[in-house]
Amino acid sequence: MSVRSCSVLDEQTVRVELHGEVDHYSAGPLRVLLAAASTGGHRCLVLDTSRVTFADSALLRILTDWTGHGWRLRLTGITPAMERLRAAAWGASTPTARRRARPRREAVGEERG
């Protein structure tokens, strides 16, 4: 995993873009970056995960530590790997589970009953 970019959006918000796999061995730089951001007074994190190919409990721990302080988190660019992690952490349903079931189309010649 690498931090692809980091930018300050305003006095409260920092935006971080991740790239690659985020696991126990690669999450250290993100942890240090967020510690520095919080020391600098940032309380809102916009995390772009559109280039994350794998994420495990290491990223989950970092994110729950951030939100555990009452600070805001906004995930953008959610990949399937991040959707699974988000669903496991916060019980969020996947986008496909939220869709309404469509009525079944009747086959040609089938009678309604």
XYZ file of all heavy atoms in Angstrom:
871
model
N 0.855 -1.163 0.000
C 0.000 0.000 0.000
C 0.895 1.217 0.000
O 1.926 1.247 0.619
C -0.860 0.000 1.263
C -1.879 1.103 1.390
S -1.494 2.736 2.059
C -0.709 2.452 3.583
N 0.441 2.180 -0.689
C 1.118 3.456 -0.611
C 0.070 4.553 -0.518
O -1.053 4.395 -0.970
C 2.008 3.681 -1.839
O 1.227 3.790 -3.004
N 0.482 5.633 0.088
C -0.354 6.817 0.089
C -0.031 7.508 -1.223
O 1.066 8.010 -1.418
C -0.054 7.716 1.302
C -0.833 9.004 1.208
C -0.368 6.974 2.596
N -0.986 7.477 -2.128
C -0.767 8.049 -3.459
C -0.730 9.573 -3.409
O 0.069 10.204 -4.083
C -1.858 7.561 -4.400
C -1.673 7.945 -5.821
C -2.728 7.251 -6.672
N -2.732 7.743 -8.010
C -2.007 7.228 -9.006
N -1.236 6.206 -8.774
N -2.077 7.735 -10.203
N -1.605 10.149 -2.602
C -1.586 11.595 -2.423
C -2.230 11.958 -1.096
O -3.017 11.196 -0.543
C -2.305 12.312 -3.574
O -3.690 12.076 -3.510
N -1.886 13.131 -0.621
C -2.465 13.665 0.606
C -2.570 15.169 0.419
O -1.606 15.810 -0.002
C -1.575 13.334 1.795
S -2.179 14.034 3.342
N -3.747 15.700 0.700
C -3.923 17.138 0.550
C -4.851 17.665 1.650
O -5.712 16.949 2.147
C -4.490 17.485 -0.829
O -5.692 16.789 -1.064
N -4.641 18.905 2.005
C -5.472 19.568 2.997
C -6.558 20.320 2.240
O -6.262 21.171 1.398
C -4.637 20.537 3.863
C -5.528 21.332 4.792
C -3.584 19.762 4.637
N -7.820 19.978 2.518
C -8.933 20.633 1.833
C -9.349 21.925 2.535
O -9.725 22.894 1.891
C -10.125 19.684 1.737
C -9.872 18.385 0.964
C -11.134 17.537 0.927
C -9.367 18.665 -0.436
N -9.312 21.906 3.849
C -9.586 23.104 4.649
C -8.966 22.874 6.019
O -8.275 21.887 6.235
C -11.085 23.427 4.720
C -11.934 22.302 5.299
O -11.510 21.688 6.308
O -13.015 22.039 4.761
N -9.209 23.781 6.958
C -8.545 23.665 8.262
C -8.974 22.446 9.064
O -8.282 22.045 9.989
C -8.763 24.936 9.082
C -10.213 25.228 9.396
C -10.400 26.578 10.049
O -9.699 27.528 9.685
O -11.265 26.662 10.933
N -10.097 21.835 8.704
C -10.587 20.650 9.411
C -10.399 19.352 8.621
O -10.424 18.281 9.208
C -12.083 20.808 9.713
C -12.398 21.833 10.768
C -12.082 21.316 12.147
O -12.450 20.204 12.504
N -11.390 22.110 12.934
N -10.229 19.431 7.304
C -10.341 18.257 6.436
C -9.044 17.942 5.707
O -8.429 18.816 5.105
C -11.465 18.474 5.400
O -12.647 18.864 6.080
C -11.717 17.213 4.602
N -8.697 16.679 5.767
C -7.562 16.166 5.001
C -8.083 15.074 4.064
O -8.970 14.304 4.428
C -6.437 15.642 5.927
C -6.888 14.460 6.758
C -5.193 15.299 5.138
N -7.555 15.050 2.832
C -7.944 14.050 1.842
C -6.732 13.175 1.545
O -5.648 13.684 1.260
C -8.406 14.718 0.548
C -8.845 13.731 -0.512
C -9.203 14.443 -1.822
N -9.680 13.524 -2.809
C -8.908 12.763 -3.581
N -7.598 12.808 -3.454
N -9.445 11.943 -4.466
N -6.946 11.854 1.625
C -5.880 10.890 1.393
C -6.347 9.904 0.335
O -7.469 9.403 0.392
C -5.518 10.137 2.699
C -4.459 9.082 2.451
C -5.072 11.116 3.772
N -5.473 9.632 -0.626
C -5.758 8.640 -1.659
C -4.797 7.467 -1.477
O -3.585 7.657 -1.438
C -5.576 9.250 -3.042
C -5.923 8.300 -4.166
C -5.727 8.926 -5.537
O -5.692 10.156 -5.637
O -5.604 8.150 -6.502
N -5.367 6.271 -1.331
C -4.573 5.061 -1.143
C -4.439 4.292 -2.451
O -5.277 4.415 -3.340
C -5.222 4.156 -0.092
C -5.400 4.745 1.296
C -6.069 3.728 2.210
C -4.074 5.191 1.870
N -3.414 3.457 -2.505
C -3.143 2.677 -3.702
C -2.626 1.298 -3.286
O -1.769 1.188 -2.419
C -2.065 3.402 -4.522
C -1.723 2.739 -5.803
N -0.911 1.649 -5.878
C -2.096 3.011 -7.068
C -0.783 1.286 -7.134
N -1.495 2.100 -7.879
N -3.171 0.231 -3.883
C -2.651 -1.118 -3.663
C -3.315 -1.855 -2.515
O -4.496 -1.673 -2.238
N -2.523 -2.694 -1.851
C -3.017 -3.528 -0.752
C -2.735 -2.856 0.589
O -1.645 -2.358 0.807
C -2.350 -4.899 -0.793
C -2.663 -5.675 -2.044
C -2.058 -7.076 -2.040
O -1.323 -7.426 -1.092
O -2.334 -7.804 -2.993
N -3.733 -2.897 1.466
C -3.568 -2.343 2.810
C -3.691 -3.497 3.790
O -4.748 -4.096 3.934
C -4.646 -1.279 3.125
C -4.363 -0.639 4.472
C -4.715 -0.234 2.028
N -2.567 -3.823 4.439
C -2.568 -4.891 5.432
C -1.682 -4.481 6.608
O -1.203 -3.350 6.669
C -2.129 -6.225 4.824
C -0.728 -6.188 4.228
O 0.069 -5.283 4.574
O -0.416 -7.059 3.402
N -1.489 -5.399 7.523
C -0.728 -5.122 8.740
C 0.674 -4.580 8.428
O 1.175 -3.691 9.116
C -0.629 -6.404 9.580
C 0.256 -6.289 10.764
N -0.102 -5.574 11.886
C 1.502 -6.762 10.998
C 0.882 -5.630 12.771
N 1.862 -6.339 12.255
N 1.298 -5.095 7.397
C 2.674 -4.719 7.083
C 2.780 -3.393 6.332
O 3.821 -2.756 6.359
C 3.337 -5.831 6.265
C 3.394 -7.118 7.036
C 2.525 -8.156 6.753
C 4.296 -7.283 8.078
C 2.554 -9.335 7.481
C 4.331 -8.450 8.819
C 3.458 -9.475 8.510
O 3.490 -10.629 9.241
N 1.724 -2.982 5.677
C 1.811 -1.780 4.845
C 1.039 -0.577 5.388
O 1.109 0.503 4.812
C 1.301 -2.095 3.434
O -0.072 -2.414 3.453
N 0.331 -0.736 6.467
C -0.549 0.329 6.957
C 0.160 1.378 7.811
O -0.428 2.419 8.108
C -1.706 -0.281 7.749
N 1.386 1.151 8.183
C 2.112 2.072 9.062
C 2.164 3.515 8.570
O 1.884 4.437 9.343
N 2.524 3.754 7.300
C 2.584 5.142 6.830
C 1.240 5.881 6.950
O 1.214 7.064 7.291
C 3.007 5.009 5.367
C 3.772 3.723 5.324
C 3.056 2.828 6.301
N 0.145 5.190 6.692
C -1.167 5.821 6.833
C -1.433 6.166 8.291
O -1.934 7.249 8.607
C -2.270 4.918 6.288
C -3.689 5.452 6.437
C -3.870 6.770 5.669
C -4.704 4.411 5.978
N -1.088 5.264 9.175
C -1.281 5.503 10.614
C -0.501 6.752 11.063
O -1.027 7.611 11.762
C -0.819 4.276 11.399
C -1.190 4.286 12.851
C -0.828 2.983 13.556
N -1.697 1.899 13.126
C -1.305 0.852 12.378
N -0.057 0.759 11.984
N -2.145 -0.093 12.039
N 0.740 6.869 10.616
C 1.581 8.019 10.972
C 1.013 9.304 10.372
O 0.941 10.343 11.040
C 3.040 7.780 10.502
C 3.870 9.042 10.641
C 3.664 6.631 11.280
N 0.584 9.235 9.113
C 0.019 10.400 8.444
C -1.219 10.908 9.171
O -1.372 12.112 9.400
C -0.320 10.048 6.999
C -0.763 11.191 6.112
C -0.242 10.972 4.709
C -2.260 11.307 6.090
N -2.100 10.001 9.574
C -3.330 10.406 10.262
C -3.043 10.926 11.669
O -3.732 11.825 12.146
C -4.335 9.263 10.285
C -4.889 8.871 8.912
C -5.896 7.747 9.052
C -5.481 10.058 8.192
N -2.034 10.375 12.314
C -1.645 10.906 13.632
C -1.156 12.342 13.489
O -1.512 13.211 14.296
C -0.571 10.026 14.256
N -0.375 12.606 12.450
C 0.108 13.964 12.213
C -1.050 14.895 11.859
O -1.093 16.047 12.310
C 1.149 13.960 11.093
N -1.990 14.409 11.062
C -3.144 15.224 10.684
C -3.977 15.595 11.908
O -4.410 16.736 12.053
C -4.002 14.481 9.659
N -4.196 14.623 12.792
C -5.001 14.914 13.986
C -4.274 15.867 14.923
O -4.900 16.734 15.536
C -5.384 13.626 14.706
O -4.243 12.993 15.241
N -2.955 15.742 15.011
C -2.175 16.668 15.820
C -2.271 18.081 15.261
O -2.289 19.053 16.015
C -0.693 16.218 15.878
O -0.644 14.906 16.449
C 0.153 17.162 16.705
N -2.396 18.177 13.931
C -2.535 19.473 13.279
C -3.943 20.042 13.326
O -4.209 21.088 12.739
N -4.866 19.349 13.993
C -6.208 19.870 14.163
C -7.233 19.369 13.167
O -8.380 19.801 13.188
N -6.846 18.465 12.288
C -7.791 17.935 11.311
C -8.694 16.898 11.986
O -8.222 16.019 12.693
C -7.047 17.317 10.128
C -6.304 18.337 9.345
N -4.989 18.637 9.595
C -6.705 19.148 8.344
C -4.609 19.587 8.773
N -5.621 19.922 8.002
N -9.989 17.035 11.750
C -10.971 16.155 12.375
C -11.892 15.494 11.357
O -12.813 14.793 11.721
C -11.828 16.939 13.384
C -11.017 17.556 14.512
C -10.370 16.477 15.367
N -9.643 17.011 16.494
C -8.310 17.086 16.558
N -7.576 16.680 15.547
N -7.716 17.558 17.626
N -11.630 15.736 10.077
C -12.432 15.136 9.012
C -11.484 14.513 7.994
O -10.547 15.171 7.522
C -13.313 16.190 8.352
S -14.376 15.522 7.064
N -11.706 13.254 7.681
C -10.871 12.529 6.728
C -11.717 12.115 5.534
O -12.754 11.477 5.699
C -10.285 11.281 7.402
C -9.587 10.268 6.491
C -8.356 10.898 5.828
C -9.192 9.031 7.295
N -11.265 12.494 4.351
C -11.845 12.009 3.108
C -10.841 11.010 2.557
O -9.713 11.382 2.223
C -12.095 13.148 2.096
C -12.628 12.583 0.785
C -13.045 14.174 2.678
N -11.234 9.741 2.515
C -10.320 8.678 2.125
C -10.759 8.106 0.787
O -11.817 7.487 0.681
C -10.300 7.588 3.198
C -9.254 6.503 3.033
C -7.842 7.087 3.116
C -9.438 5.428 4.087
N -9.941 8.324 -0.241
C -10.218 7.802 -1.578
C -9.593 6.420 -1.679
O -8.379 6.265 -1.603
C -9.625 8.724 -2.640
C -9.931 8.273 -4.055
O -10.349 7.113 -4.257
O -9.739 9.080 -4.980
N -10.445 5.417 -1.836
C -9.977 4.030 -1.885
C -10.193 3.409 -3.265
O -10.213 2.197 -3.403
C -10.695 3.187 -0.817
O -12.099 3.217 -1.079
C -10.407 3.703 0.575
N -10.323 4.234 -4.289
C -10.628 3.735 -5.631
C -9.517 2.876 -6.217
O -9.754 2.129 -7.168
C -10.942 4.897 -6.577
O -9.833 5.762 -6.688
N -8.319 2.947 -5.655
C -7.203 2.142 -6.153
C -6.751 1.078 -5.145
O -5.680 0.509 -5.283
C -6.051 3.054 -6.517
C -6.341 3.897 -7.748
C -5.102 4.641 -8.192
N -5.241 5.075 -9.554
C -5.627 6.285 -9.910
N -5.949 7.165 -8.986
N -5.711 6.624 -11.170
N -7.581 0.821 -4.140
C -7.265 -0.219 -3.154
C -7.727 -1.567 -3.703
O -8.888 -1.734 -4.055
C -7.938 0.076 -1.796
C -7.786 -1.102 -0.844
C -7.346 1.331 -1.189
N -6.798 -2.522 -3.784
C -7.115 -3.846 -4.314
C -7.385 -4.866 -3.217
O -8.003 -5.892 -3.466
C -5.974 -4.356 -5.206
O -4.748 -4.348 -4.446
C -5.807 -3.465 -6.433
N -6.911 -4.610 -2.006
C -7.113 -5.509 -0.872
C -7.012 -4.684 0.404
O -6.178 -3.788 0.508
C -6.052 -6.615 -0.854
C -6.104 -7.465 0.377
C -7.007 -8.501 0.485
C -5.258 -7.213 1.444
C -7.077 -9.279 1.638
C -5.304 -7.989 2.594
C -6.221 -9.020 2.684
N -7.870 -4.990 1.364
C -7.813 -4.328 2.661
C -8.239 -5.317 3.729
O -9.182 -6.072 3.529
C -8.722 -3.108 2.681
N -7.518 -5.312 4.852
C -7.885 -6.219 5.939
C -8.092 -5.431 7.229
O -8.280 -4.222 7.212
C -6.858 -7.342 6.093
C -5.502 -6.882 6.621
O -5.348 -5.687 6.965
O -4.594 -7.719 6.690
N -8.046 -6.134 8.326
C -8.362 -5.528 9.618
C -7.407 -4.408 10.011
O -7.747 -3.589 10.865
C -8.393 -6.602 10.700
O -7.122 -7.220 10.807
N -6.239 -4.331 9.406
C -5.324 -3.232 9.722
C -5.935 -1.892 9.327
O -5.905 -0.931 10.097
C -3.987 -3.434 9.018
N -6.512 -1.826 8.136
C -7.169 -0.591 7.718
C -8.424 -0.356 8.551
O -8.710 0.772 8.952
C -7.518 -0.630 6.228
C -8.214 0.619 5.686
C -7.378 1.876 5.932
C -8.529 0.459 4.213
N -9.141 -1.411 8.814
C -10.332 -1.290 9.647
C -9.978 -0.697 11.005
O -10.659 0.199 11.509
C -10.986 -2.655 9.813
C -12.223 -2.712 10.679
C -13.319 -1.814 10.123
C -12.718 -4.143 10.777
N -8.899 -1.136 11.595
C -8.455 -0.630 12.899
C -8.121 0.856 12.828
O -8.510 1.654 13.692
C -7.255 -1.435 13.398
C -6.647 -0.943 14.688
C -7.664 -1.063 15.817
N -7.191 -0.450 17.014
C -6.731 -1.113 18.064
N -6.692 -2.426 18.041
N -6.315 -0.478 19.116
N -7.436 1.253 11.773
C -7.081 2.661 11.595
C -8.347 3.515 11.481
O -8.457 4.567 12.113
C -6.181 2.838 10.357
C -4.803 2.219 10.618
C -6.045 4.312 9.986
C -3.928 2.129 9.396
N -9.302 3.040 10.708
C -10.534 3.811 10.497
C -11.407 3.857 11.745
O -11.997 4.893 12.064
C -11.316 3.252 9.311
C -10.583 3.291 7.964
C -11.472 2.734 6.870
C -10.073 4.678 7.646
N -11.494 2.747 12.475
C -12.288 2.761 13.704
C -11.599 3.582 14.792
O -12.282 4.204 15.614
C -12.611 1.342 14.213
O -11.397 0.614 14.376
C -13.534 0.620 13.254
N -10.268 3.616 14.794
C -9.563 4.504 15.727
C -9.888 5.962 15.410
O -10.124 6.764 16.312
C -8.051 4.294 15.657
C -7.593 3.026 16.350
O -8.414 2.385 17.050
O -6.411 2.663 16.181
N -9.914 6.298 14.123
C -10.221 7.677 13.712
C -11.642 8.065 14.129
O -11.851 9.084 14.765
C -10.049 7.813 12.197
C -10.314 9.188 11.683
C -11.498 9.679 11.212
C -9.379 10.272 11.597
N -11.360 10.989 10.843
C -10.076 11.384 11.068
C -8.027 10.410 11.915
C -9.455 12.608 10.839
C -7.418 11.637 11.687
C -8.123 12.711 11.164
N -12.608 7.222 13.775
C -14.007 7.543 14.101
C -14.287 7.402 15.595
O -15.207 8.031 16.108
C -14.981 6.667 13.296
O -14.723 5.288 13.577
C -14.857 6.933 11.812
N -13.501 6.581 16.286
C -13.675 6.405 17.722
C -13.422 7.679 18.521
O -13.910 7.834 19.635
N -12.676 8.597 17.948
C -12.436 9.895 18.586
C -13.566 10.874 18.305
O -13.511 12.023 18.750
C -11.126 10.505 18.073
C -9.903 9.779 18.528
N -9.471 9.796 19.830
C -9.027 9.000 17.848
C -8.365 9.070 19.937
N -8.082 8.574 18.749
N -14.551 10.425 17.549
C -15.654 11.311 17.182
C -15.369 12.116 15.933
O -16.096 13.045 15.599
N -14.281 11.763 15.255
C -13.908 12.484 14.049
C -14.638 11.895 12.854
O -15.031 10.733 12.851
C -12.414 12.444 13.840
C -11.660 13.033 15.003
C -12.120 13.959 15.902
C -10.340 12.718 15.412
N -11.163 14.246 16.835
C -10.050 13.493 16.555
C -9.359 11.869 14.930
C -8.832 13.450 17.201
C -8.138 11.822 15.569
C -7.889 12.610 16.699
N -14.819 12.716 11.818
C -15.601 12.320 10.656
C -14.750 11.582 9.626
O -13.581 11.879 9.436
C -16.216 13.555 10.007
C -17.211 14.228 10.942
C -17.836 15.451 10.351
N -18.496 15.092 9.093
C -18.750 15.951 8.125
N -18.397 17.205 8.257
N -19.362 15.561 7.029
N -15.400 10.628 8.972
C -14.768 9.831 7.922
C -15.709 9.769 6.732
O -16.904 9.487 6.894
C -14.488 8.406 8.424
C -14.080 7.381 7.366
C -12.723 7.748 6.762
C -14.042 5.993 7.984
N -15.173 10.024 5.559
C -15.940 9.866 4.318
C -15.111 9.021 3.371
O -13.990 9.394 3.009
C -16.238 11.214 3.682
C -17.011 11.088 2.396
C -17.406 12.432 1.845
N -17.949 12.246 0.520
C -17.633 12.999 -0.516
N -16.811 14.014 -0.371
N -18.162 12.754 -1.691
N -15.626 7.846 3.013
C -14.960 6.975 2.053
C -15.463 7.302 0.656
O -16.668 7.425 0.443
C -15.254 5.507 2.363
C -14.724 4.961 3.680
C -15.193 3.532 3.875
C -13.207 5.035 3.729
N -14.542 7.408 -0.291
C -14.921 7.626 -1.681
C -14.229 6.575 -2.542
O -13.233 5.987 -2.132
C -14.521 9.034 -2.176
O -13.103 9.157 -2.131
C -15.162 10.113 -1.332
N -14.782 6.357 -3.728
C -14.178 5.399 -4.657
C -14.137 3.998 -4.087
O -13.098 3.341 -4.111
N -15.242 3.531 -3.587
C -15.261 2.259 -2.860
C -15.187 1.076 -3.831
O -16.075 0.882 -4.651
C -16.506 2.169 -1.968
C -16.443 3.296 -0.944
C -16.598 0.811 -1.289
C -17.668 3.426 -0.115
N -14.123 0.309 -3.701
C -13.908 -0.893 -4.510
C -14.608 -2.077 -3.840
O -15.027 -1.979 -2.684
C -12.406 -1.204 -4.623
O -11.889 -1.439 -3.307
C -11.643 -0.059 -5.279
N -14.725 -3.217 -4.521
C -15.314 -4.392 -3.869
C -14.592 -4.777 -2.574
O -15.235 -5.155 -1.597
C -15.195 -5.481 -4.932
C -15.256 -4.733 -6.232
C -14.507 -3.446 -5.959
N -13.279 -4.651 -2.557
C -12.529 -4.967 -1.336
C -12.934 -4.047 -0.187
O -13.117 -4.484 0.951
C -11.024 -4.853 -1.592
N -13.104 -2.783 -0.489
C -13.508 -1.827 0.548
C -14.965 -2.005 0.935
O -15.334 -1.797 2.088
C -13.259 -0.394 0.071
C -11.801 -0.011 0.065
S -10.993 -0.206 1.671
C -11.966 0.907 2.678
N -15.806 -2.382 0.001
C -17.221 -2.618 0.325
C -17.350 -3.772 1.318
O -18.112 -3.699 2.266
C -18.021 -2.905 -0.941
C -19.496 -3.144 -0.684
C -20.211 -1.965 -0.065
O -19.959 -0.828 -0.456
O -21.048 -2.194 0.835
N -16.567 -4.838 1.114
C -16.602 -5.972 2.051
C -16.133 -5.540 3.435
O -16.729 -5.904 4.444
C -15.743 -7.116 1.524
C -16.364 -7.869 0.365
C -15.568 -9.109 0.003
N -14.223 -8.799 -0.446
C -13.884 -8.511 -1.705
N -14.814 -8.471 -2.642
N -12.633 -8.262 -2.027
N -15.080 -4.754 3.482
C -14.558 -4.287 4.767
C -15.557 -3.359 5.450
O -15.819 -3.479 6.640
C -13.225 -3.562 4.552
C -12.451 -3.218 5.806
C -11.941 -4.493 6.471
C -11.301 -2.296 5.482
N -16.157 -2.462 4.691
C -17.145 -1.548 5.248
C -18.366 -2.300 5.774
O -18.864 -2.013 6.857
C -17.570 -0.530 4.192
C -18.531 0.511 4.713
C -18.821 1.569 3.704
N -19.661 1.029 2.643
C -20.301 1.779 1.763
N -20.168 3.086 1.803
N -21.043 1.240 0.836
N -18.823 -3.280 5.023
C -19.981 -4.066 5.449
C -19.662 -4.852 6.724
O -20.495 -4.948 7.623
C -20.417 -5.010 4.338
N -18.464 -5.393 6.805
C -18.076 -6.147 7.996
C -17.976 -5.238 9.214
O -18.359 -5.630 10.320
C -16.740 -6.848 7.755
N -17.500 -4.034 9.010
C -17.273 -3.129 10.134
C -18.531 -2.443 10.618
O -18.781 -2.353 11.815
C -16.253 -2.074 9.735
N -19.324 -1.950 9.688
C -20.444 -1.109 10.071
C -21.793 -1.715 9.711
O -22.817 -1.062 9.851
C -20.296 0.273 9.444
C -19.141 1.013 10.055
C -19.101 1.570 11.295
C -17.863 1.246 9.481
N -17.872 2.149 11.517
C -17.091 1.955 10.422
C -17.279 0.916 8.257
C -15.787 2.346 10.169
C -15.978 1.299 8.013
C -15.251 2.005 8.969
N -21.791 -2.941 9.232
C -23.047 -3.609 8.924
C -23.796 -2.994 7.763
O -24.979 -3.205 7.616
N -23.099 -2.235 6.948
C -23.746 -1.604 5.801
C -24.052 -2.651 4.746
O -23.251 -3.541 4.493
C -22.842 -0.527 5.207
N -25.217 -2.539 4.165
C -25.565 -3.475 3.106
C -24.846 -3.082 1.827
O -24.501 -1.930 1.624
C -27.075 -3.493 2.882
O -27.510 -2.212 2.508
N -24.622 -4.057 0.988
C -23.976 -3.782 -0.287
C -24.955 -3.079 -1.208
O -26.164 -3.202 -1.040
C -23.503 -5.086 -0.951
O -24.649 -5.898 -1.163
C -22.494 -5.815 -0.102
N -24.470 -2.341 -2.199
C -25.383 -1.619 -3.090
C -26.391 -2.539 -3.776
O -27.538 -2.186 -3.948
C -24.450 -0.978 -4.114
C -23.152 -0.852 -3.408
C -23.098 -2.039 -2.471
N -25.992 -3.748 -4.133
C -26.926 -4.639 -4.810
C -28.010 -5.123 -3.866
O -29.125 -5.376 -4.277
C -26.196 -5.854 -5.411
O -25.406 -6.464 -4.403
C -25.335 -5.447 -6.580
N -27.726 -5.233 -2.590
C -28.730 -5.681 -1.625
C -29.771 -4.594 -1.376
O -30.882 -4.886 -0.964
C -28.064 -6.072 -0.309
N -29.416 -3.347 -1.649
C -30.344 -2.246 -1.420
C -31.309 -2.047 -2.586
O -32.289 -1.352 -2.455
C -29.572 -0.959 -1.182
C -28.864 -0.949 0.156
C -28.345 0.429 0.455
N -27.376 0.870 -0.521
C -26.091 1.042 -0.282
N -25.610 0.795 0.908
N -25.288 1.468 -1.213
N -30.998 -2.615 -3.729
C -31.877 -2.450 -4.881
C -33.190 -3.178 -4.659
O -33.230 -4.247 -4.068
C -31.227 -3.024 -6.134
C -30.108 -2.193 -6.645
C -29.680 -2.734 -7.986
N -28.326 -2.322 -8.230
C -27.430 -3.022 -8.864
N -27.729 -4.195 -9.362
N -26.223 -2.574 -9.048
N -34.237 -2.612 -5.165
C -35.537 -3.271 -5.083
C -35.599 -4.392 -6.102
O -35.069 -4.285 -7.198
C -36.652 -2.293 -5.396
C -36.900 -1.313 -4.314
C -38.076 -0.496 -4.701
N -38.548 0.194 -3.519
C -39.589 0.973 -3.509
N -40.269 1.173 -4.607
N -39.962 1.558 -2.413
N -36.256 -5.427 -5.715
C -36.454 -6.532 -6.654
C -37.383 -6.064 -7.762
O -38.377 -5.390 -7.513
C -37.050 -7.730 -5.934
N -37.067 -6.427 -8.963
C -37.905 -6.059 -10.099
C -38.982 -7.112 -10.281
O -38.737 -8.299 -10.084
C -37.068 -5.976 -11.361
C -36.081 -4.846 -11.310
C -35.365 -4.732 -12.611
N -34.369 -3.674 -12.500
C -33.433 -3.474 -13.382
N -33.345 -4.241 -14.444
N -32.565 -2.504 -13.227
N -40.165 -6.685 -10.709
C -41.211 -7.678 -10.977
C -40.787 -8.593 -12.115
O -40.113 -8.168 -13.044
C -42.420 -6.841 -11.372
C -42.016 -5.423 -11.300
C -40.582 -5.333 -10.931
N -41.165 -9.829 -11.985
C -40.814 -10.817 -12.994
C -41.586 -10.532 -14.272
O -42.768 -10.255 -14.248
C -41.175 -12.218 -12.486
C -40.759 -13.326 -13.406
C -41.016 -14.670 -12.765
N -42.396 -15.075 -12.788
C -42.986 -15.690 -13.814
N -42.325 -15.916 -14.908
N -44.246 -16.036 -13.737
N -40.881 -10.577 -15.385
C -41.551 -10.409 -16.674
C -42.245 -11.702 -17.030
O -41.705 -12.784 -16.851
C -40.543 -10.089 -17.765
C -39.940 -8.718 -17.652
C -39.093 -8.455 -18.842
N -38.465 -7.158 -18.732
C -37.642 -6.686 -19.619
N -37.337 -7.381 -20.679
N -37.110 -5.501 -19.459
N -43.436 -11.565 -17.558
C -44.175 -12.753 -17.953
C -43.682 -13.217 -19.310
O -43.402 -12.409 -20.185
C -45.658 -12.449 -18.018
C -46.230 -12.143 -16.656
C -47.683 -11.716 -16.744
O -48.142 -11.358 -17.842
O -48.337 -11.740 -15.701
N -43.576 -14.504 -19.455
C -43.161 -15.074 -20.736
C -44.277 -14.883 -21.750
O -45.454 -14.779 -21.396
C -42.857 -16.566 -20.573
N -43.892 -14.835 -22.987
C -44.880 -14.682 -24.059
C -45.833 -15.849 -24.016
O -45.427 -17.005 -23.924
C -44.174 -14.588 -25.430
C -45.192 -14.564 -26.556
C -43.264 -13.391 -25.470
N -47.111 -15.558 -24.049
C -48.134 -16.603 -24.057
C -48.518 -17.073 -22.668
O -49.396 -17.897 -22.524
N -47.853 -16.579 -21.630
C -48.191 -16.998 -20.275
C -49.379 -16.192 -19.791
O -49.476 -14.994 -20.020
C -46.988 -16.751 -19.355
C -47.138 -17.303 -17.972
C -45.858 -17.117 -17.178
O -44.776 -17.418 -17.693
O -45.971 -16.651 -16.039
N -50.285 -16.835 -19.178
C -51.484 -16.167 -18.695
C -51.281 -15.650 -17.292
O -50.577 -16.247 -16.484
C -52.682 -17.155 -18.694
C -53.098 -17.575 -20.064
C -54.330 -18.461 -19.982
O -54.941 -18.539 -18.907
O -54.641 -19.072 -20.983
N -51.922 -14.536 -17.032
C -51.932 -14.011 -15.663
C -53.024 -14.721 -14.895
O -54.067 -15.008 -15.410
C -52.236 -12.516 -15.659
C -51.109 -11.704 -16.166
C -51.444 -10.256 -15.986
N -50.330 -9.453 -16.446
C -50.293 -8.143 -16.356
N -51.309 -7.506 -15.832
N -49.275 -7.485 -16.786
N -52.782 -14.981 -13.656
C -53.809 -15.676 -12.924
C -54.130 -15.146 -11.624
O -53.854 -14.433 -10.873
